[in-house]
Amino acid sequence: MARSLELWVFIMSNALLFVSGSILLVLSLLAYYQNTSIRSYRLSTIGFGFIVLGGIVSPVYRLLIRSDYHLNAHQRLLLQSAESILLAVGLGLLFYAITRHNPRSPGKDGSDPFATDFREYEEKGYED
């Protein structure tokens, strides 16, 4: 097993990635559930899922499956390739979701979910 300090830094950095990625995943999922007609929310949720999955591949393999922190060159290359592929797919989905985001998609009932009634502002004397 690796020295204690390096092992804990490895565990804490991967835990931080997992927690922050999971928070973003949940927030994206909540946004999708609030308006299922906007496809980019679903794509971003899937993208964050791939990013979280790519972040936990290494700690799960090294600590739970192999039970040893030290890997040979072949194992390290395969592990880093798997992480990179999952992260690239996740980031690609996020990029696609951001570039294709259209918040003006009609709601389920055909209404504009982001329409604002400006009469209230005009009545109170607010200006742009």
Side-chain angles (χ1 to χ4, degrees), residues 2-106:
R3 288 183 288 192
S4 182
L5 179 62
E6 289 91 359
L7 178 63
W8 282 108
V9 169
F10 174 75
I11 291 171
M12 294 306 294
S13 63
N14 282 290
L16 181 63
L17 175 67
F18 178 75
V19 169
S20 61
S22 296
I23 289 170
L24 291 170
L25 174 78
V26 169
L27 290 174
S28 184
L29 187 63
L30 290 174
Y32 174 67
Y33 280 141
Q34 288 178 356
N35 194 350
T36 57
S37 64
I38 298 179
R39 183 174 177 227
S40 63
Y41 293 154
R42 181 179 64 228
L43 290 173
S44 65
T45 301
I46 295 168
F48 283 122
F50 272 104
I51 291 172
V52 169
L53 186 62
I56 65 170
V57 166
S58 181
V60 167
Y61 179 76
R62 288 181 181 209
L63 300 175
L64 299 178
I65 295 173
R66 181 157 158 96
S67 298
D68 187 12
Y69 182 76
H70 297 289
L71 302 175
N72 62 32
H74 179 71
Q75 292 170 330
R76 198 171 323 159
L77 181 63
L78 287 176
L79 191 60
Q80 288 178 348
S81 297
E83 286 178 342
S84 297
I85 289 170
L86 290 170
L87 289 173
V89 168
L91 290 173
L93 284 169
L94 284 176
F95 176 77
Y96 186 76
I98 290 169
T99 58
R100 301 293 185 220
H101 180 66
N102 183 9
R104 298 290 179 193
S105 301

